Amino acid sequence: MKSCYLPAVLLAMAMFAVAPFRLMGAPDILVANATPGVLLSYKIFYYHVPSAMVMFLSAFVCGVASAVYLFKNRLAADRLAAAAAELVVVFGLIVLVTGPIWARKAWGVWWQWDARLTSTLLLWMIFMAYLLVRRFGGQGAEKLSAAMAVFGMANVPFVYVSVNIWRTIHPTTQVIPTLAPGMRGVFWFCVLSFVVLFGLLLALRARLEQRRADVERLYLLADEE
Amino acid sequence: MTFDFGEVSVREVSRNYGRRRALTRVSLACRAGEVLGLLGPNGAGKSTLLSILSTLLAPSAGDVRYGTKTAAEAGPALRACLGLLSHDLHLYPELTAAENLRFFAQLYGVSDVDGRVAAALDRAGLLSRRDDVVSGFSRGMRQRLALERALLHEPRLLLLDEPFTGLDDASVAALVARLRELRGAGRILVVVTHDLDVAERLLDKVAVLKDGRLVAFDDARGRIREHYRAHVAEQRA
Amino acid sequence: MFLRVAWLVMRKDLTVEVRSREVIYTTIFFAVACVLVFAFALVREGRPLEDAAAGIMWISVAFAGTLALGRTFERERHSETLRALMLAPASRPAIYVGKLLGIVLLLLVVEAVLVPLIGLLFHAPIASRPLELAGLLVLGTIGFSAVGTLFAAMLVRARSRDVMLPVLLYPITIPVIIAGVRGTAALFEVEPAVDLAQMWMALLAFFDIVFVTLSLWTFEPLMTE
């Protein structure tokens, strides 16, 4: 297990180093009357969408791990959930920063209250609340935060539907299947890079938590002597 | 569902809160018809042990057996056989004495609610104040009411956290008589107390806790003072 | 047996409240104060902004609801009576349902004062579709309280619980607020859009079912220390 880390780090580094060259060479999305600046702004899409995908993946991992912790009382699941929750917040931050940068160019505003933006922001808030309660909740906060993750997962479809009916202008999911052939390869390369990075960070973070638990146990043992 | 309640045994039980140890590998046992006393300075882990015995708190390691079953094996039905008189008394101050008793009697699903509530009020000496709200009661009156509340469902294992605080001499004598009666009826009693005179009159076994460890566990009578002096009194002085 | 326990717990809560009236008086006062604060922000030249009435109503309900939840469980903490309830052999989900019903009834009383007041101050046509409005309020209150009761019960043991309750509760109950505000706004229009309001009611009903089920399911593992 331990021997996998170095190759994985090197792989992730190489993939992220290669990505800019690959996507500079990719053809541009065809937008009517687009200025070069707008066309360039579409390149952010290669970072924005994979980050969003990884964010949702991480939220899913956190929710499932939290449910396992609640019902089976497995401490390892709780540690995995805590690691995943932090990654939701990190990748969510990338999504929430790159999104407005692009929107300013393409839509002319920094923020729009549409379904996908709002649900992403809310999902991010739910996991911020998860981390807050874990940090400041005191005794027994692990269970509280696990409940927050499970409820947050169940909440996603409701947020999406309710905001969707409320209003929508985000480019729809149809963008990805209709990508030009030259773009598709680059796009999935970026997705893969982010997934490798996510897996690496998740494993490292969960291992750190595991080490912390070990230290606590050693303190307890030392105390017993 | 009935349980074999011949013995309650605590085996190698530890409980920690993060890095802090509240209990370290405590093992003791108490048979039906015995009164076990828990002595020790403040913060020794007496209340934690009582919470673990009441199933409210799960041990971090080790297990507690009620008869032959652990709490997890016995399930919620076990709670019908346990009674806890906590330091927090577990009474609603806005409700009257009778309402408090009635609510818990119904919650425990006991038969003949009216009869038991009346009998409990009588024993607590509160028949004349049955319709007064608890917030107006003195500490001693609340203590007596809380004890009767914990006994309403006739628990097999009764856990008492400092039951003698706030009671006058006559009430203490009455309570000791009551607890002896329960012991005679084959109940198991675990009592946390600081009151040595009462302890000598009542206890069959003594466990002394200090810093979460069991430092003495003795069933010989008459040696209570000795244990107390050795482990508790020095720290108080 | 399940319903009997729920009934017992709810009746006990109502008896306590009828005797002290602390929560009901303070909550109503707080809700009215909220309405006034929002009125100063959203009324200009004697005329409220469009749709302001619906928004003010639901935000006041949410704020007042948080206050009521906190106070109700503070009472159970006072002499650790929540632990006494957990010690009883009664079904724990039934205890949850009893607490939930108590909170819902309390909030409905608050709303009975709040809604006419809003009609009066903002010229909102509250009587044009009374049945639909009542339906929205009842369904929304159940959804909000279902999540709130579970979190408030868990927070009884936690540190800084007064801050943590809104931090956990608001992100999860956003769909309730959106559905409540939009549905009420549809009813407050000159030509009440009843079909739109009914659609939001359906969403609320679905939210209630999912989150009450989830709470019943997680209450037992969450309350064991």
Side-chain angles (χ1 to χ4, degrees):
Chain A
M1 183 65 202
K2 200 179 165 188
S3 59
C4 299
Y5 285 117
L6 189 66
V9 170
L10 292 175
L11 178 68
M13 278 168 69
M15 286 178 91
F16 273 91
V18 169
F21 297 101
R22 290 207 60 181
L23 63 92
M24 275 325 284
D28 291 317
I29 289 182
L30 294 174
V31 183
N33 307 324
T35 61
V38 169
L39 285 180
L40 184 69
S41 78
Y42 272 88
K43 300 286 187 198
I44 209 166
F45 162 87
Y46 293 102
Y47 292 93
H48 177 72
V49 180
S51 302
M53 284 174 155
V54 167
M55 176 194 181
F56 279 92
L57 177 67
S58 187
F60 183 72
V61 170
C62 181
V64 171
S66 295
V68 170
Y69 169 61
L70 273 189
F71 291 103
K72 306 272 179 206
N73 217 3
R74 298 254 169 80
L75 291 175
D78 180 50
R79 293 195 288 265
L80 186 69
E86 283 184 7
L87 290 176
V88 175
V89 172
V90 170
F91 284 101
L93 204 59
I94 298 178
V95 175
L96 292 171
V97 169
T98 52
I101 292 174
W102 174 81
R104 183 75 182 85
K105 271 286 177 200
W107 297 336
V109 285
W110 293 104
W111 182 261
Q112 278 286 352
W113 288 102
D114 93 315
R116 234 182 277 180
L117 261 70
T118 313
S119 10
T120 307
L121 178 65
L122 260 168
L123 189 68
W124 190 76
M125 294 273 295
I126 286 170
F127 283 90
M128 274 301 284
Y130 177 103
L131 295 182
L132 280 175
V133 75
R134 220 182 152 85
R135 178 101 168 65
F136 301 113
Q139 207 54 240
E142 295 84 12
K143 289 218 162 154
L144 254 169
S145 53
M148 189 65 188
V150 172
F151 274 61
M153 283 252 295
N155 202 27
V156 169
F158 286 101
V159 172
Y160 192 76
V161 169
S162 54
V163 186
N164 206 3
I165 306 173
W166 185 32
R167 53 183 321 179
T168 285
I169 59 161
H170 199 277
T172 53
T173 345
Q174 265 72 47
V175 171
I176 296 167
T178 57
L179 286 180
M183 293 173 73
R184 202 178 290 162
V186 181
F187 173 72
W188 287 112
F189 179 81
C190 289
V191 172
L192 195 63
S193 309
F194 270 91
V195 170
V196 169
L197 180 67
F198 164 70
L200 189 63
L201 289 174
L202 186 70
L204 282 171
R205 187 66 187 82
R207 208 167 77 115
L208 177 62
E209 281 297 309
Q210 158 98 58
R211 288 286 159 92
R212 275 202 189 139
D214 289 345
V215 169
E216 295 285 298
R217 216 177 46 236
L218 287 175
Y219 264 106
L220 283 172
L221 276 176
D223 206 28
E224 202 179 309
E225 297 312 316
Chain B
M1 193 170 174
T2 50
F3 292 95
D4 152 41
F5 246 96
E7 188 182 54
V8 171
S9 55
V10 173
R11 294 190 210 166
E12 292 276 299
V13 161
S14 301
R15 169 76 201 198
N16 48 282
Y17 297 97
R19 238 174 240 187
R20 195 171 65 78
R21 271 189 181 278
L23 281 180
T24 308
R25 295 198 178 178
V26 172
S27 298
L28 43 84
C30 193
R31 273 192 295 280
E34 283 182 335
V35 183
L36 167 68
L38 297 179
L39 302 180
N42 291 334
K46 299 173 308 233
S47 296
T48 305
L49 183 57
L50 224 51
S51 290
I52 288 176
L53 282 169
S54 75
T55 73
L56 275 176
L57 202 65
S60 306
D63 61 8
V64 180
R65 289 191 178 266
Y66 305 86
T68 53
K69 293 194 170 83
T70 64
E73 287 161 3
L78 172 68
R79 297 202 292 265
C81 305
L82 305 178
L84 170 68
L85 171 65
S86 144
H87 205 66
D88 304 302
L89 298 185
H90 296 171
L91 295 169
Y92 290 98
E94 295 91 347
L95 297 183
T96 67
E99 281 168 340
N100 263 301
L101 292 173
R102 174 170 276 280
F103 171 67
F104 282 102
Q106 288 173 328
L107 199 64
Y108 275 84
V110 304
S111 53
D112 184 25
V113 172
D114 292 317
R116 288 218 201 176
V117 169
L121 283 168
D122 187 25
R123 271 194 299 263
L126 291 168
L127 263 180
S128 58
R129 312 268 324 244
R130 58 172 296 149
D131 293 324
D132 292 346
V133 292
V134 170
S135 56
F137 284 12
S138 69
R139 173 78 199 183
M141 289 159 85
R142 288 183 204 199
Q143 186 79 27
R144 297 200 303 266
L145 183 63
L147 177 76
E148 292 306 328
R149 186 203 77 69
L151 287 171
L152 267 177
H153 56 290
E154 301 183 338
R156 308 290 303 274
L157 169 63
L158 185 60
L159 310 162
L160 306 161
D161 198 349
E162 308 256 8
F164 304 105
T165 39
L167 298 187
D168 56 36
D169 290 347
S171 304
V172 170
L175 179 53
V176 170
R178 184 82 202 288
L179 296 180
R180 280 193 178 144
E181 189 185 308
L182 288 166
R183 172 174 66 186
R187 304 293 153 80
I188 305 174
L189 285 86
V190 180
V191 185
V192 171
T193 185
H194 279 305
D195 192 330
L196 280 188
D197 296 329
V198 177
E200 285 192 321
R201 273 189 280 162
L202 186 66
L203 304 182
D204 300 307
K205 285 182 173 175
V206 191
V208 182
L209 289 169
K210 197 167 143 189
D211 297 331
R213 282 157 206 278
L214 189 66
V215 288
F217 181 48
D218 198 344
D219 49 16
R221 289 202 186 197
R223 292 181 58 197
I224 294 171
R225 260 171 219 282
E226 203 177 303
H227 286 307
Y228 192 84
R229 214 172 294 126
H231 298 288
V232 185
E234 40 144 342
Q235 211 158 50
R236 296 202 136 187
Chain C
M1 198 56 214
F2 186 95
L3 288 178
R4 224 180 85 82
V5 170
W7 165 251
L8 275 172
V9 172
M10 184 195 78
R11 202 184 54 184
K12 182 268 298 172
D13 272 4
L14 293 183
T15 313
V16 168
E17 184 50 43
V18 164
R19 214 152 276 170
S20 79
R21 296 190 209 92
E22 179 206 344
V23 178
I24 193 86
Y25 284 165
T26 49
T27 307
I28 289 178
F29 181 84
F30 181 72
V32 172
C34 272
V35 170
L36 289 182
V37 170
F38 285 114
F40 293 128
L42 300 175
V43 176
R44 218 177 278 161
E45 287 158 18
R47 298 183 68 87
L49 296 177
E50 208 186 335
D51 285 357
I56 291 171
M57 190 170 100
W58 281 92
I59 295 171
S60 305
V61 167
F63 283 7
T66 317
L67 191 80
L69 281 165
R71 288 305 305 163
T72 308
F73 279 91
E74 194 60 33
R75 220 175 234 166
E76 291 282 6
R77 216 176 69 86
H78 181 256
S79 42
E80 293 285 357
T81 41
L82 193 63
R83 298 187 98 195
L85 294 181
M86 293 299 119
L87 265 175
S91 135
R92 286 182 180 173
I95 291 170
Y96 165 81
V97 171
K99 298 295 299 179
L100 171 61
L101 289 175
I103 296 278
V104 168
L105 282 178
L106 191 81
L107 286 183
L108 288 179
V109 173
V110 174
E111 286 160 15
V113 176
L114 192 67
V115 173
L117 186 75
I118 290 199
L120 209 74
L121 293 177
F122 298 95
H123 324 294
I126 52 166
S128 67
R129 282 283 171 178
L131 274 183
E132 278 84 358
L133 184 62
L136 276 170
L137 282 168
V138 170
L139 288 171
T141 307
I142 293 175
F144 181 83
S145 314
V147 182
T149 306
L150 183 78
F151 283 157
M154 289 191 300
L155 280 167
V156 164
R157 279 183 279 113
R159 213 150 45 90
S160 58
R161 56 190 152 281
D162 302 337
V163 192
M164 280 304 155
L165 183 60
V167 164
L168 296 177
L169 189 52
Y170 292 158
I172 298 284
T173 51
I174 285 287
V176 174
I177 303 296
I178 296 177
V181 171
R182 288 294 110 205
T184 310
L187 289 178
F188 282 175
E189 276 170 26
V190 187
E191 286 284 316
V194 177
D195 51 339
L196 201 61
Q198 278 167 349
M199 197 256 326
W200 285 116
M201 275 161 78
L203 184 87
L204 280 176
F206 199 51
F207 183 95
D208 292 358
I209 292 167
V210 168
F211 279 87
V212 169
T213 314
L214 208 55
S215 302
L216 289 174
W217 199 39
T218 50
F219 190 69
E220 172 86 42
L222 284 174
M223 294 309 286
T224 17
E225 285 172 52

